[in-house]
């Protein structure tokens, strides 16, 4: 018989946990859900737009009743659980229904805090929490004129905005001297207040409510100083209280919320709890992003995988009032010893403040221009050292490089038919529609459902901006620790470390050691593991062809019609008449449909049939060519310019040095593609300053540049150092390459890697530590012994023949 | 009624790999999983006819090499949010030899 799981609280955190659980293990439990509200699970954070008339209730349903039925979940709506008997493992609902459980999940959310002043129970005094509250407000707006909202926080302002949109005259009463004091500092709060006043909202600041006056229905609010305002409707939005009544009554340990440990278990090991009702490491959360993280962890344990831990969250906030851009995250009020970076432009209505400690962002407040909010938030959560771009950070990420799409803020003002994803032709309207109708919260969800951002990824920032704007900050930004794929909980970092420290030398051992959830991984993790194993154990690991993408397996680029392209290596771009003749012969011999000079200074042959590959390679290999690895996450090309031999400006032999660098590095497998260039003088005709490793020759030596990228997101290199001799160039190049090979994440090019680990770190490893540099260089050369074997020659000689030979033709 | 055609010894197909057979009308990819199960699937992805034989095999599924759709090898259906399916053919291993029934394609698609 299946184990029985009962969920109390049919809200956002609880149902999200069930969704995660069904992904892990749809069969293990017989699931029953009790919800006090008469509705299936809906998106509570969208109540504000519903109140403002921008959405309807139907738009915000997340899980329809059919969803529960399809997943075999018994749902009782409009039936609150009133008692839990933990000894008998049984609970009782209002309707009298009794249900037994093996595991219990509490997700009872919270209740709006109603200030206990005389008159607080009069008709027309409401909280702002659920559909019923919104219905009552909309009803009141039809008959009455004057509304008072008590509480100038996030919720209060959204309520006030909604009531105003419904034609009411709204006054906001706030105890503090600034609005949203939990999210904003003084200047930002003042700017917010000014723009809300310009829309017609009225404010009573530092006003302490003493009494609600009226007969049956409220007619006004009286304050401690004796003054009074008229009101036909009072909305109390002064805070929330974790809803712990049921848990307390059942004798489960509670403080402010239901106390849970890092696995989301309460003091009764059969009982888990998630959401706003929970207190974790002393903190109760009131935003959905942390609750979803909790849900993931609880599901992991309910599914008996038992490895996830919840370690707390940093949250960020955004106000969902159309036309007002506001963002805040972390510790935005500086403490002693902190530094602040401030940009203030009152004329444009822009204010940005970053709180910095030890060159790391601790908090951010932005008003008017929140385009870089998600970027700052990411830097904050990842604890990135910002020393390298501190002087420009306030100007935003586009200053560091952007995808040519323009800024993310502008995306919000685009029309619905504006194309967001250029690779897959997905428009803004389709994305927003999918987010709303399918209830998507993460970038991964949007990728899967719309294909936007799933190819080259350059529009991911735009999609995130749409997500953030459509679902508020409720969207799951990439979690601070990200699993490499759905087959495991582990991040790239964890995996690299385990492979090194525990000397894991084949894939099966990695799967077992790290408790992989799938029998043989997937198309995301297997290539990554194959690379990590190869990079760490070049002498021991047997390269696994079935874990390589077809391009690397067939040593050619697969084309849209299933044929392949072939690019022979031309060291440093140099070639001879006989080289060119040999290539021309191959083109004629095999009827190659098209040839072209590539952007990497060599020649591409397109449209070669798979079964012809081995013979094409044999002919090229007989003429002295090796594979150009134009298909691989590997060292690609070394671009060179004319240099000292011919050019009137040349300072060094850039072509010769390019050939030496290519001889050193060819064949090397990398986390991502890796390109080099050598320019003979600062005119830089070989474009060395947008390469992964670039050399610019000068009269007195060689400037070494790293971390450039000319692709999706152009990034100019950082100057690593200047060296005197060609031998030094080779040594520094080998050492830098090896550091990247050992430490970068699979599919992370040098540009994002350098930004992630910081230039300072790379300098400390390559410049400051001479012995370390030499050791890296030695390890690089050691690995090259195993990789500088021409894969084309091997295959021309018969290796992996099955890859290229179709089985015989049969009759159907 | 089944019409088993003898295809190849099992060891001619790499584990987590495939080989292609060409019939009068189409290419069929014959996959071998880690557990030595075999599946025969029309070698055309439901998305844009990508060659599924060139994909990475995991569990009982293959990821198409062109745009990463995942196709269930036993049903020929796209997994996850993608929708579409490709024909499958009964396949079995008997005495170390792979057989495919080329006459009884699933008509689901
Ligand atoms: C053949 C070539 C275009 C040409 O005819 O010139 C080419 C062709 C492809 N490029 Fe490129 N790139 C070529 C030079 C470049 C350059 C220019 C350069 O190297 O100087 C760039 C920008 C420089 C850079 O990488 O920083 C370039 C940036 C990209 C990118 C974006 C990389 C990035 O980090 O942003 C991709 C996508 C990727 O790697 O994920 C890409 C991906 C591709 C792929 C492999 C697409 C694919 O996955 O199938 C194309 C294969 C075509 C085919 O079927 O053979 N190609 N690609 C060039 C081969 C150079 C060579 O000799 O090996
Ligand atoms: C108007 C509004 C706007 C918001 N905007 C944002 C935003 O922009 N961004 C953001 O991150 N967060 C926002 N929030 C907060 C967010 O909605 C909550 O953090 C989230 O819904 C909490 O999820 P939960 O599952 O813990 O609680 P809930 O979603 O409240 O679910 C709890 C459910 O349990 C039910 N329940 C309680 N007791 C029982 C019982 N004994 N038996 C049966 N059922 C019971 C309740 O009726 C309720 O339906 C907003 C909230 C509101 C009200
Ligand atoms: S060759 Fe490069 S730029 Fe051209 S279509 Fe292919 S990936 Fe895009
Ligand atoms: S053709 Fe298979 S995913 Fe596009």
């Amino acid at each position: 018989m299946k184990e029985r799981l009962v969920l109390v609280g049919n809200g956002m955190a609880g149902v999200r946990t069930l969704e995660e659980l069904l992904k892990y293990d749809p069969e293990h439990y017989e699931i029953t859900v009790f919800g006090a509200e008469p509705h299936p699970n809906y998106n509570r954070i969208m109540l504000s737009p519903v109140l403002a008339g921008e959405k309807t209730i139907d738009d915000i349903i997340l899980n329809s009743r059919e969803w529960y039925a399809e997943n075999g979940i018994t749902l009782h709506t409009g039936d609150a659980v009133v008692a839990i008997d933990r000894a008998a493992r049984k609970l009782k609902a209002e309707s009298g229904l009794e249900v037994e459980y093996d595991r219990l999940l509490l997700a009872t959310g919270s209740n709006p805090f109603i200030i206990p002043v005389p008159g607080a129970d009069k008709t027309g005094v409401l909280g702002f929490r659920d559909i019923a509250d919104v219905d009552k407000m909309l009803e009141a707006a039809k008959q009455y004129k004057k509304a008072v909202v008590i509480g100038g926080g996030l919720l209060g302002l959204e309520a006030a905005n909604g009531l105003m949109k419904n034609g009411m005259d709204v006054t906001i009463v706030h105890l503090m001297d600034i609005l949203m004091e939990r999210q904003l500092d003084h200047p930002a709060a003042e700017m917010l207040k000014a723009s809300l006043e310009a829309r017609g909202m009225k404010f009573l600041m530092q006003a302490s409510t003493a009494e609600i006056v009226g007969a049956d229905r409220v007619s006004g609010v009286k304050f401690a100083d004796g003054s009074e305002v008229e009101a036909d409707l009072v909305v109390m939005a002064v805070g929330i209280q974790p809803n712990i009544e049921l848990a307390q009554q059942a004798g489960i340990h509670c403080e402010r919320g239901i106390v849970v440990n890092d696995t989301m278990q309460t003091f009764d090991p059969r009982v888990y709890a998630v959401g706003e009702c929970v207190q974790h490491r002393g903190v109760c959360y009131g935003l959905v992003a942390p609750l979803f993280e909790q849900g993931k962890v609880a599901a992991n344990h309910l599914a008996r995988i038992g490895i996830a831990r919840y370690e707390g969250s940093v949250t960020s906030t955004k106000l969902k009032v159309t036309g007002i851009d506001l963002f805040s995250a972390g510790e935005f009020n500086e403490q002693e010893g902190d530094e602040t970076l401030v940009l203030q432009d009152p004329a444009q209505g822009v204010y940005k403040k970053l709180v910095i400690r030890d060159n790391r962002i601790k908090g951010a407040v932005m008003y008017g221009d929140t385009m870089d909010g998600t970027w700052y938030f990411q830097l904050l959560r990842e604890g990135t050292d910002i020393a390298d771009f501190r002087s420009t950070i306030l100007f935003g990420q586009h200053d560091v490089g952007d995808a040519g799409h323009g800024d993310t803020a502008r995306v919000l003002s685009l029309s619905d038919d504006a194309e967001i994803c250029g690779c897959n032709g997905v428009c803004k309207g389709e994305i927003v529609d999918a987010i709303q109708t399918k209830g998507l919260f993460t970038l991964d969800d949007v990728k899967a459902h719309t294909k936007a951002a799933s190819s080259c990824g350059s529009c991911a920032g735009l999609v995130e901006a749409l997500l953030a704007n459509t679902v508020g900050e409720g969207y799951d930004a990439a979690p601070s620790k990200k699993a490499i794929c759905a087959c495991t909980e582990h991040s790239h970092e964890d995996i690299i470390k385990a492979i090194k420290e525990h000397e894991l030398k084949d894939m099966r051992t990695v799967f077992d050691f790290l408790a992989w959830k799938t029998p043989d991984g997937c198309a995301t993790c297997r290539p990554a593991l194959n690379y990590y194993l190869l990079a760490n154990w070049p002498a021991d690991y047997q390269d696994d062809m079935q874990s390589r993408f077809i391009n690397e397996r067939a040593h050619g680029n697969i084309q849209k019609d299933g044929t392949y392209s072939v690019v022979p290596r031309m060291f440093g771009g140099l070639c001879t008449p006989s080289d060119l003749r040999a290539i021309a012969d191959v083109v004629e011999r095999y009827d190659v449909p098209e040839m072209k000079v590539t952007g990497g200074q060599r020649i591409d042959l397109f449209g070669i049939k798979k079964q012809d590959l081995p013979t094409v390679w044999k002919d090229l290999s007989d003429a002295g060519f090796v594979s150009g690895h134009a298909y691989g996450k590997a060292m690609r090309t070394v671009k060179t310019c004319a240099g000292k031999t011919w050019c009137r400006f040349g300072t060094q032999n850039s072509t010769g040095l390019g050939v030496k660098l290519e001889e050193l590095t060819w064949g090397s497998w990398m986390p991502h593609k890796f390109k080099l260039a050598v320019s003979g003088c600062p005119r830089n005709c070989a474009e060395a300053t947008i390469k992964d490793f670039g050399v610019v020759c000068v009269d007195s030596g060689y400037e070494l540049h790293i971390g450039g990228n000319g692709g999706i997101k152009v990034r100019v290199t950082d100057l690593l150092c200047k060296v005197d001799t060609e031998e030094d160039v080779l040594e520094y190049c080998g050492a830098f390459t090896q550091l990247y090979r050992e430490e970068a994440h699979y599919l992370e090019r040098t540009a994002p890697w350098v930004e992630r680990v910081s230039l300072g770190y790379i300098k400390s490893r390559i410049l400051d530590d001479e012995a370390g540099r030499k050791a890296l260089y030695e390890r690089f050369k050691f690995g090259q012994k195993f990789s500088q074997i021409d894969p084309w020659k091997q295959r021309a000689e018969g290796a992996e023949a099955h890859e290229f030979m179709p089985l015989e033709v049969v009759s159907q | 009624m089944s019409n088993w055609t003898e295809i190849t010894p099992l060891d001619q197909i790499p584990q987590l790999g495939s080989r292609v057979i060409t019939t009068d009308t189409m290419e069929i990819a014959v996959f071998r999983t880690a557990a030595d199960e075999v599946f025969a699937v029309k070698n055309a992805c439901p998305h844009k006819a990508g060659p599924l034989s060139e994909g990475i095999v995991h569990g009982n599924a293959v990821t198409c090499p062109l745009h990463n759709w995942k196709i269930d090898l036993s049903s020929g259906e796209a997994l996850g949010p993608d929708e579409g399916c490709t024909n499958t053919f009964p396949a079995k291993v008997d005495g170390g030899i792979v057989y495919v029934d080329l006459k009884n394609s699933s008509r689901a698609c």
Side-chain angles (χ1 to χ4, degrees):
Chain A
M1 202 179 85
K2 282 189 184 180
E3 282 199 282
R4 295 153 305 182
L5 171 69
V6 178
L7 165 64
V8 183
N10 187 28
M12 296 188 74
V15 178
R16 182 60 174 240
T17 310
L18 294 186
E19 287 181 338
E20 296 284 347
L21 173 62
L22 293 172
K23 271 195 246 167
Y24 283 126
D25 188 349
E27 298 300 330
H28 188 70
Y29 293 102
E30 189 186 305
I31 304 175
T32 306
V33 178
F34 282 93
E37 295 184 64
H39 310 277
N41 179 36
Y42 62 90
N43 193 346
R44 191 172 306 283
I45 71 180
M46 296 312 256
L47 286 178
S48 301
V50 170
L51 180 64
E54 292 161 5
K55 294 238 151 26
T56 66
I57 296 292
D58 284 345
D59 291 338
I60 68 167
I61 298 292
L62 289 174
N63 302 77
S64 63
R65 289 182 191 273
E66 289 77 56
W67 177 85
Y68 294 87
E70 278 163 18
N71 288 287
I73 299 173
T74 312
L75 173 66
H76 302 287
T77 51
D79 197 4
V81 172
V82 291
I84 303 172
D85 178 350
R86 289 193 294 129
R89 283 199 259 133
K90 204 161 74 175
L91 44 78
K92 190 167 169 196
E94 212 167 31
S95 62
L97 194 67
E98 293 194 0
V99 175
E100 292 180 9
Y101 65 84
D102 298 298
R103 291 270 183 283
L104 182 62
L105 177 62
L106 298 177
T108 47
S110 50
N111 294 319
F113 182 67
I114 301 292
I115 316 172
V117 288
D121 52 356
K122 289 193 193 310
T123 317
V125 181
L126 300 174
F128 182 18
R129 182 70 195 174
D130 53 25
I131 291 182
D133 294 332
V134 171
D135 284 344
K136 283 185 206 149
M137 284 191 237
L138 292 174
E139 202 51 43
K142 280 187 205 144
Q143 303 176 34
Y144 303 100
K145 193 75 200 139
K146 290 195 176 313
V148 167
V149 174
I150 304 180
L154 207 60
L155 208 56
L157 295 179
E158 291 187 4
N161 178 60
L163 292 171
M164 219 166 62
K165 286 267 171 75
N166 281 287
M168 293 193 90
D169 174 10
V170 185
T171 304
I172 294 182
V173 174
H174 195 48
L175 193 58
M176 301 293 163
D177 60 340
I178 63 168
L179 295 174
M180 290 180 65
E181 72 283 351
R182 287 174 51 197
Q183 288 89 16
L184 297 183
D185 66 349
H186 229 279
E190 285 305 321
M191 293 175 88
L192 171 65
K193 182 157 166 268
S195 71
L196 291 173
E197 272 166 347
R199 291 163 172 236
M201 252 182 231
K202 295 182 198 140
F203 291 92
L204 282 176
M205 303 300 283
Q206 290 174 285
S208 162
T209 307
E211 190 185 339
I212 310 286
V213 292
D216 242 4
R217 188 175 180 92
V218 48
S219 68
V221 180
K222 205 183 240 166
F223 301 101
D225 64 2
S227 61
E228 199 178 316
V229 288
E230 277 179 56
D232 315 305
L233 173 71
V234 172
V235 178
M236 293 225 193
V238 289
I240 51 173
Q241 272 183 322
N243 183 359
I244 56 174
E245 204 187 320
L246 182 66
Q248 255 174 339
Q249 171 265 51
I252 294 172
H253 178 59
C254 297
E255 287 171 9
R256 208 164 91 71
I258 305 171
V259 176
V260 294
N261 61 17
D262 285 1
T263 63
M264 305 316 293
Q265 225 166 10
T266 67
F267 277 56
D268 178 341
R270 287 191 180 271
V271 183
Y272 288 77
V274 291
E276 281 186 349
C277 59
V278 154
Q279 176 178 333
H280 170 265
R281 297 193 187 179
V283 184
C284 300
Y285 293 93
L287 293 167
V288 296
L291 311 184
F292 287 175
E293 278 185 50
Q294 294 176 353
K296 242 183 217 158
V297 174
N300 184 288
H301 290 275
L302 285 169
R304 297 163 309 152
I305 295 163
I307 51 173
R309 295 173 75 80
Y310 178 66
E311 296 172 347
S313 308
V314 190
T315 56
S316 70
T317 331
K318 188 173 176 293
L319 184 68
K320 298 192 299 300
V321 172
T322 312
I324 292 194
D325 276 330
L326 182 149
F327 178 89
S328 104
E331 307 168 37
F332 53 86
N333 278 318
E334 62 271 26
Q335 301 170 8
E336 212 173 290
D338 289 350
E339 302 162 276
T340 56
L341 302 178
V342 177
L343 185 151
Q344 204 159 5
D345 183 349
Q348 299 266 358
V350 171
Y351 172 79
K352 298 186 189 184
K353 179 170 91 174
L354 297 178
V355 175
I356 314 286
R357 198 176 304 152
D358 303 328
N359 269 326
R360 285 174 171 81
I361 299 183
K362 288 290 156 190
V365 186
M366 315 169 70
Y367 186 87
D369 172 5
T370 53
M371 172 182 137
D372 290 295
T374 35
W375 182 49
Y376 296 144
F377 191 44
Q378 186 187 355
L379 295 172
L380 184 157
R381 284 185 309 172
E382 291 176 358
T384 310
D385 185 338
I386 61 160
D388 299 339
F389 48 101
R390 190 181 149 130
S391 56
T392 56
I393 189 167
L394 280 176
F395 303 121
Q397 193 174 20
H398 57 100
D399 212 66
V400 183
D402 100 1
H405 279 290
D407 52 59
T408 41
R410 236 171 280 146
V411 69
L412 307 178
S413 56
L414 294 175
S415 65
D416 276 354
D417 57 4
E419 186 173 85
I420 301 291
C421 174
C423 291
N424 296 303
V426 190
C427 299
K428 178 180 165 186
E430 286 172 63
I431 297 173
V432 172
D433 186 60
I435 294 172
Q436 289 173 346
T437 56
K438 303 208 170 92
L440 311 182
F441 285 101
T442 66
L443 180 62
D444 283 345
D445 289 346
V446 178
K447 281 186 190 170
H449 283 270
T450 67
K451 298 290 169 242
S454 64
S455 294
C456 84
S458 70
C459 59
L462 300 184
V463 174
E464 288 214 308
L466 287 176
L467 254 175
N469 194 60
T470 313
V471 302
E473 282 311 300
Y475 90 95
D476 267 359
S480 36
K481 188 182 132 183
K482 208 172 168 191
I484 95 169
C485 65
C487 301
T488 173
E489 298 294 328
H490 296 284
S491 63
H492 284 276
E493 218 71 62
D494 297 345
I495 295 166
I496 297 172
K497 200 157 159 255
I499 289 178
K500 266 197 201 102
E501 287 178 5
H502 297 275
E503 306 206 358
L504 311 177
K505 297 191 178 178
D506 66 72
M507 210 168 299
R508 183 50 50 201
T509 318
V510 178
F511 285 159
D512 293 344
F513 186 84
L514 295 175
W516 234 248
K517 288 183 267 174
T518 46
D520 31 40
C522 72
T524 302
C525 59
R526 284 231 310 274
L529 292 184
N530 191 56
Y531 168 74
Y532 291 141
L533 288 162
L534 206 59
N536 277 285
W537 313 111
D540 306 317
Y541 177 65
Q542 177 64 43
D543 197 348
D544 175 20
M545 283 301 139
Q546 300 314 134
S547 295
R548 283 187 176 272
F549 182 62
I550 181 63
N551 285 0
E552 294 182 356
R553 213 181 323 140
H555 296 276
N557 264 305
I558 193 164
Q559 313 286 302
K560 56 196 288 189
D561 63 355
T563 63
Y564 289 80
S565 69
V566 163
V567 186
R569 196 169 283 286
M570 283 187 180
F571 287 80
L574 288 175
C575 52
T576 64
S578 70
D579 289 344
L580 295 180
R581 212 169 279 128
I583 292 177
D585 287 344
V586 165
V587 169
E588 286 180 349
R589 201 170 303 137
Y590 295 93
D591 281 330
V592 173
E594 185 165 289
M595 65 194 287
K596 142 170 213 313
V597 176
T598 71
Q601 297 188 336
R602 45 207 194 156
I603 294 172
D604 200 346
L605 314 182
F606 293 101
I608 297 175
K609 291 185 211 66
K610 196 177 186 191
Q611 58 269 34
D612 286 343
L613 286 172
T615 41
V616 167
W617 292 336
K618 177 171 188 312
D619 294 358
L620 289 169
S621 147
D622 288 347
F625 287 104
V626 297
S627 162
H629 291 85
Y631 45 77
K633 305 299 170 220
M635 177 342 221
R636 292 286 178 88
T637 61
V638 182
K639 250 166 126 158
T640 63
C641 71
K644 195 174 171 181
T645 327
W646 302 98
C647 176
R648 63 199 165 108
F649 296 118
T651 62
Q652 310 283 355
N653 181 358
S654 52
T655 334
L657 178 56
V659 172
K660 284 185 194 163
L661 280 170
E662 192 153 358
E663 281 168 346
L664 172 71
T665 53
W666 80 270
S668 173
W669 295 109
M670 300 279 187
H672 205 308
K673 54 172 74 162
F674 191 92
K675 301 174 178 179
L676 300 86
V678 188
S679 286
C681 83
R683 284 168 196 75
N684 194 10
C685 298
E687 301 164 323
T689 48
I690 51 163
K691 293 288 177 270
D692 297 275
F693 185 86
V695 183
V696 176
C697 302
V698 289
D699 205 48
S700 56
Y702 307 86
E703 286 176 9
L704 306 184
H705 299 263
I706 58 163
N709 190 316
I712 296 163
K713 188 163 169 176
V714 179
R715 181 181 194 273
V716 173
T717 44
D718 294 305
L719 176 65
L720 180 65
C721 63
K722 206 180 123 191
V723 297
D724 298 333
T725 65
E726 289 196 342
E727 285 62 47
D728 286 343
V729 176
L730 295 177
E731 176 175 319
Y732 281 70
C733 172
F736 171 74
T737 309
Q738 185 65 11
L739 188 64
Y740 170 61
R741 296 183 74 230
E742 289 179 5
E743 298 190 359
H745 299 168
Y746 188 65
L747 295 188
E748 179 178 47
R749 262 191 96 170
T750 58
W753 173 63
V754 169
E755 284 182 7
R756 179 167 65 82
V757 302
S758 88
L759 179 62
Y761 169 73
I762 290 169
K763 285 185 170 166
S764 75
R765 296 289 305 268
I766 307 288
L767 306 185
D768 307 344
D769 176 4
E770 188 186 334
R773 175 180 71 239
K774 290 197 187 303
L776 279 165
Y777 185 41
E778 284 313 313
R779 287 207 291 283
F780 181 68
K781 286 194 294 192
F782 176 73
Q784 285 298 78
K785 279 203 261 181
F786 305 93
S787 50
Q788 287 193 332
I789 299 165
D790 182 28
W792 285 357
K793 186 148 192 273
Q794 283 183 315
R795 278 151 190 80
E797 285 165 358
E800 307 272 330
H802 63 80
E803 180 67 58
F804 306 100
M805 290 302 297
L807 293 167
E808 71 271 40
V809 181
V810 291
S811 240
Q812 201 163 358
Chain B
M1 198 194 75
S2 47
N3 289 279
W4 296 111
T5 304
E6 179 177 332
I7 304 295
T8 177
L10 181 65
D11 61 13
Q12 292 302 298
I13 308 177
Q15 275 192 335
L16 296 173
S18 76
R19 298 289 297 270
V20 175
I21 47 180
T22 310
T23 70
D24 308 337
T25 53
M26 66 172 100
E27 281 190 356
I28 294 172
V30 186
F31 292 91
R32 174 178 173 193
T33 68
D36 282 347
E37 271 192 89
V38 292
F39 295 98
V41 176
K42 178 174 169 188
N43 196 20
C45 175
H47 178 221
K48 293 190 174 170
L52 296 175
S53 55
E54 316 295 39
I56 290 184
V57 182
H58 41 92
N60 285 353
V62 63
T63 296
C64 176
L66 294 196
H67 316 96
N68 292 329
W69 281 31
K70 290 186 187 52
I71 311 298
D72 183 301
L73 294 173
S74 56
S75 66
E77 303 227 21
L79 294 169
D82 296 314
E83 281 169 26
C85 92
T86 190
N87 297 55
T88 57
F89 299 84
K92 66 170 184 186
V93 185
D94 196 348
I97 305 291
V98 177
Y99 296 86
V100 175
D101 181 348
L102 299 167
K103 296 259 173 354
N104 283 309
S105 152
S106 65
R107 293 281 168 226
C109 331

